[in-house]
């Protein structure tokens, strides 16, 4: 979490200058592209490869470190192993297996198919791309700008008397205090290690007991800071239901329109490819359609 949240890089790049509302829309649009159906696995890996190239270009433009992305992928390896066990080592019992490609056969009742491995890689690549997109947003956008963008998108709910200002205030406070609480947790861990607590060694039961020495003081610190924050807001006359103004006014500029146009073109292109793969006969294999290469 320390590599994803609160690590804003203060550069004057074109990605940093883009309106946060456009960046938030781009985040949602590219995530939708990740989850569209493109037919067979060859099509899916081609699309994800192209999308990964686009995201990498955006990272270069925004000077987002690739090393920080790799650090965030540490927690995904456990999930990948879990997915591998589900998709590969647990034989499929639903649907027809006539179109499956056999990878390894233990006996007639237990067969491992290539599709299980492909499905694992497909899900893992989706997760990696989503982590990269989130990292780009949080590394190039101020936390308060993200809050302003959310408030702008929630504006139609004001017509239904929905307390959007209260929701955005909660989100802004959460984003503001995530780095603070992470720093507090590091201090508590160092203090507990100096007292002989070992978080890295021992069996699972011992690690659970050790982690309670971190969780309990951290919860107490959270409640203490929240009480101080609420008293400070009351002392300054904060009224959640009063009409509020913004310190920063978001303005839509020319390069924001250019960035939005590029995002819409990318979204429309991938939606068209998805529709071709699903509904157009003969276009269910992009390699065969464009390059004449057979693949499954």
């Amino acid at each position: 979490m320390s590599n994803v949240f609160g690590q804003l890089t203060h550069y004057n790049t074109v990605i940093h200058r883009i309106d946060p509302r456009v960046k938030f829309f781009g985040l949602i649009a590219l995530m939708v592209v990740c989850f569209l159906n493109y037919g067979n696995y060859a099509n899916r890996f081609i699309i994800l490869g192209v999308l990964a190239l686009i995201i990498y270009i955006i990272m270069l433009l925004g000077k987002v470190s690739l090393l920080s992305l790799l650090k965030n992928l540490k927690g995904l390896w456990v999930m990948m192993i879990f997915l591998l066990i589900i998709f590969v080592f647990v034989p499929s019992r639903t649907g027809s297996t006539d179109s499956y490609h056999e990878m390894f056969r233990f006996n007639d009742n237990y067969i491992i198919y290539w599709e299980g491995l492909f499905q694992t890689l497909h899900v893992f690549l989706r997760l990696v791309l989503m982590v990269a997109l989130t990292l780009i947003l949080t590394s190039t956008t101020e936390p308060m700008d993200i809050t302003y963008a959310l408030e702008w998108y929630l504006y139609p709910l004001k017509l239904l008397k929905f307390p959007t200002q209260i929701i955005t205030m909660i989100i802004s406070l959460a984003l503001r205090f995530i780095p603070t609480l992470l720093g507090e947790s590091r201090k508590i861990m160092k203090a507990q290690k100096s007292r002989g607590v070992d978080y890295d060694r021992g069996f699972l039961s011992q690690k659970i007991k050790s982690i309670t020495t971190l969780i309990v003081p951290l919860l107490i610190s959270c409640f203490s800071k929240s009480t101080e924050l609420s008293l400070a807001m009351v002392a300054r006359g904060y009224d959640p239901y009063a009409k509020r103004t913004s310190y920063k006014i978001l303005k839509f500029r020319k390069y924001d329109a250019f960035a939005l146009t590029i995002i819409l073109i990318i979204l429309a292109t991938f939606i068209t490819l998805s529709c071709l793969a699903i509904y157009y006969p003969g276009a269910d294999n992009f390699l065969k359609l464009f390059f004449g290469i057979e693949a499954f």
Side-chain angles (χ1 to χ4, degrees):
M1 289 179 63
S2 60
N3 295 316
V4 177
F5 296 103
Q7 295 295 316
L8 174 66
T9 55
H10 295 278
Y11 295 112
N12 189 25
T13 65
V14 63
I15 304 298
H16 285 75
R17 295 194 299 268
I18 292 176
D19 193 293
R21 296 169 293 184
V22 177
K23 286 190 277 190
F24 201 83
F25 174 76
L27 172 72
I28 302 300
L30 293 179
M31 283 187 176
V32 168
V33 169
C34 287
F35 284 93
L36 289 176
N37 184 9
Y38 300 100
N40 57 33
Y41 289 106
N43 291 353
R44 298 177 191 179
F45 289 126
I46 291 172
I47 294 299
L48 291 179
V50 173
L51 187 58
L53 180 60
I54 293 173
I55 293 174
Y56 181 68
I57 293 173
I58 296 174
M59 292 179 66
L60 291 179
L61 293 175
K63 294 184 178 180
V64 180
S65 174
L66 186 62
L67 182 61
S68 60
L69 174 61
L70 297 177
K71 289 181 179 179
N72 283 279
L73 298 179
K74 290 181 179 179
L76 293 181
W77 293 111
V78 177
M79 182 175 293
M80 184 177 181
I81 295 173
F82 180 72
L83 292 173
L84 189 67
I85 294 173
I86 292 177
F87 291 122
V88 176
F89 296 103
V90 177
S92 176
R93 298 296 184 185
T94 59
S96 176
T97 59
D98 295 337
S99 60
Y100 288 7
H101 297 77
E102 182 179 325
M103 182 173 64
F104 189 79
R105 178 187 293 268
F106 289 99
N107 51 55
D108 293 336
N109 296 323
Y110 197 95
I111 304 173
I112 296 178
Y113 298 98
W114 282 105
E115 281 71 14
L117 179 62
F118 293 156
Q119 182 69 11
T120 304
L121 294 175
H122 183 224
V123 175
F124 182 73
L125 287 176
R126 280 178 170 177
L127 294 175
V128 170
L129 294 180
M130 286 192 294
V131 171
L133 289 170
T134 307
L135 182 65
I136 291 172
L137 179 66
T138 55
S139 298
T140 61
T141 313
E142 293 278 356
M144 287 305 299
D145 289 345
I146 298 176
T147 304
Y148 293 146
L150 287 173
E151 185 177 4
W152 186 83
Y153 280 112
L154 293 175
Y155 184 80
L157 295 178
K158 288 185 178 180
L159 302 177
L160 303 177
K161 305 298 181 181
F162 189 80
T164 57
Q165 292 181 350
I166 298 176
I167 299 300
T168 52
M169 176 58 71
I170 293 172
I171 295 173
S172 63
L173 291 176
L175 292 175
R176 162 63 184 81
F177 276 93
I178 282 175
T180 303
L181 294 177
L182 289 173
E184 189 74 17
S185 65
R186 294 191 193 99
K187 292 179 181 179
I188 296 173
M189 287 184 69
K190 290 179 181 178
Q192 298 291 15
K193 285 183 178 180
S194 67
R195 293 175 173 86
V197 179
D198 192 352
Y199 294 102
D200 301 324
R201 298 178 183 178
F203 296 102
L204 181 61
S205 59
Q206 295 175 341
K207 289 184 178 182
I208 292 174
K209 291 180 181 179
S210 300
I211 210 71
T212 55
T213 61
L214 170 65
I215 299 252
V216 174
L218 187 60
L219 287 176
I220 294 174
S221 176
C222 288
F223 287 125
S224 175
K225 290 183 181 297
S226 63
T227 302
E228 293 175 1
L229 176 64
S230 62
L231 292 175
M233 294 176 72
V234 171
R236 288 167 174 78
Y238 173 72
D239 184 3
Y241 296 99
K243 186 177 181 180
R244 299 177 57 81
T245 58
S246 298
Y247 172 76
K248 183 177 182 180
I249 305 299
L250 298 179
K251 295 181 180 179
F252 198 79
R253 299 178 176 86
K254 292 182 179 179
Y255 53 83
D256 296 323
F258 179 72
L260 182 60
T261 303
I262 293 177
I263 293 171
L264 292 174
I265 291 174
I266 293 173
L267 182 61
T269 301
F270 283 101
I271 290 176
T272 303
L273 291 174
S274 177
C275 293
L276 281 174
I278 297 174
Y279 300 108
Y280 187 74
D284 58 338
N285 191 327
F286 293 157
L287 288 176
K288 182 179 179 180
L289 179 66
F290 297 111
F291 305 103
I293 301 174
E294 291 286 348
F296 63 89

